[in-house]
Amino acid sequence: LSDADVFVWPGVGEGVGMVYLEAQAAGLPIVAEAHPAPEELVAEPCVPEDDPKAFAEAIMRVVLPGNLNKASVRAREHVETRHSLHSAAARLHEALTPLVT
């Protein structure tokens, strides 16, 4: 991941999607198809499934000058704000607090 600029993986049948979180934590924008795991985990909008042209266009769009750096920052921020240990603890606290007060 440290040598890549973008992570391209359709996500067909992807059950958990940890690979998307790992790639985004490394600052890689993701190009994936609209399947449940990628849609839940990826900062960038997913492309329609079974549409190779849209998939290729998404890759080309993310690697355009100026887009890559912005998408990289978004990827890191997305993981930190939605999928980090701190954010998970905050969501758990929010869900459990009404049950104990």
Side-chain angles (χ1 to χ4, degrees), residues 3-89:
D3 290 335
D5 291 322
V6 64
F7 188 82
V8 177
W9 185 250
V12 178
E14 189 71 46
V16 177
M18 288 302 295
V19 67
Y20 297 113
L21 297 177
E22 292 168 351
Q24 290 176 113
L28 299 181
I30 307 290
V31 177
E33 287 186 347
H35 297 284
E39 284 194 310
E40 178 65 26
L41 301 173
V42 174
E44 298 297 318
C46 292
V47 298
E49 60 181 284
D50 299 323
D51 189 344
K53 182 177 180 186
F55 200 78
E57 288 170 351
I59 295 168
M60 297 306 293
R61 198 170 33 256
V62 80
V63 299
L64 285 173
N67 288 352
L68 191 57
N69 286 339
K70 291 175 189 172
S72 178
V73 169
R74 271 194 311 273
R76 279 193 191 99
E77 288 175 351
H78 178 77
V79 168
E80 184 60 35
T81 59
R82 297 198 57 211
H83 301 288
S84 68
L85 180 58
H86 177 74
S87 66

